[in-house]
Amino acid sequence: MTSAPLAERLGIPSGPLFFPVTPCAPDGSLDLDSYRAHVRHARLAEEAGADGLLVMPPYLVVAGQEGLLRHCREVAAATTLPVVVHQRDNAVFTPRTVVALARTEGIVGLKGGLGDLDLMQRIVSAVRGEVPGGFLYFNGLPTAELTQPAYRGIGVTLYSSAVFCFVPRDRPRLPHGAPRGRRGHRAPAPGRLPPPVRRTARPGAGVRRLPGRGRGTVARS
């Protein structure tokens, strides 16, 4: 693959790019060539005009802290783009590991998709105490609009809206989670959110088609 197909894809505003990686040979051994090809996508994305990278959790692998740290550092070393690390599912970082990430050149932030406020508060406190600077934190929950006031209370002022991704026509009707750090902002009541958002939480993640939302629209739940 060259950067040309990626550049063409980046010009289509229909969603993010995903580079899945399965760095294992049929016998279960680590396929280093496959892994190196995955890391090479970071360079290709930069050449294609990407503005930054979001490092997703390893697919179907629950890795240890040392492995997660090394994986993120390898990706960051392959590009000069700013890198944000996504914490969720198979990638749950301890405060000590996030301190190490914050000390890594090129890694600029952490996106939290777990909903564990206690862990996030300990992470924010640890990084602030040991790594001066502007390390960024994002509330990455699917319904971030509902939880942003709580996240703002522990110092997480940024969020990404999954509602915007899977119900884009309804997202503009919702208030912003933390506009310019404004105090006193109230989260929208669950009843104001579209039906796909007002779901019962359950383990696992699935992708389903939303009726009446247009062909090809899917939502993670």
Side-chain angles (χ1 to χ4, degrees):
M1 177 182 288
T2 67
S3 60
L6 291 180
E8 181 179 357
R9 181 64 180 83
L10 285 172
I12 305 174
S14 59
L17 293 165
F18 292 96
F19 303 123
V21 58
T22 306
C24 297
D27 62 358
S29 62
L30 179 64
D31 185 346
L32 288 176
D33 289 336
S34 175
Y35 182 76
R36 292 186 183 106
H38 169 66
V39 172
R40 181 171 172 266
H41 280 114
R43 301 189 193 98
L44 293 175
E46 182 177 2
E47 294 170 5
D51 295 316
L53 296 174
L54 177 65
V55 178
M56 302 294 290
Y59 182 61
L60 296 179
V61 175
V62 179
Q65 295 298 299
E66 182 179 353
L68 289 171
L69 177 60
R70 183 177 177 184
H71 170 67
C72 295
R73 283 178 165 173
E74 290 285 344
V75 174
T79 176
T80 61
L81 292 174
V83 173
V84 173
V85 176
H86 199 352
Q87 170 160 272
R88 57 167 292 172
D89 298 332
N90 298 334
V92 179
F93 299 92
T94 65
R96 299 305 311 166
T97 301
V98 180
V99 167
L101 289 171
R103 288 175 171 155
T104 301
E105 184 177 358
I107 297 181
V108 301
L110 178 74
K111 179 179 178 180
L114 289 177
D116 188 333
L117 282 170
D118 173 71
L119 175 59
M120 183 61 82
Q121 183 173 30
R122 289 187 286 116
I123 286 172
V124 172
S125 297
V127 174
R128 281 179 176 172
E130 299 192 38
V131 188
F135 197 69
L136 303 174
Y137 303 94
F138 299 82
N139 174 359
L141 292 178
T143 52
E145 287 81 1
L146 293 177
T147 58
Q148 187 54 28
Y151 271 83
R152 188 177 62 242
I154 62 173
V156 180
T157 59
L158 304 172
Y159 77 93
S160 60
S161 172
V163 176
F164 181 78
C165 293
F166 58 76
V167 198
R169 286 185 294 181
D170 287 325
R171 175 60 185 87
R173 305 175 194 171
L174 305 176
H176 293 290
R180 300 182 182 178
R182 188 179 69 207
R183 298 291 180 181
H185 165 74
R186 296 169 58 187
R192 293 188 59 190
L193 296 175
V197 178
R198 304 195 305 269
R199 66 194 187 284
T200 302
R202 61 184 184 275
V207 177
R208 56 193 172 87
R209 192 171 303 279
L210 300 180
R213 294 292 173 184
R215 184 177 181 182
T217 302
V218 296
R220 289 184 62 86
S221 61

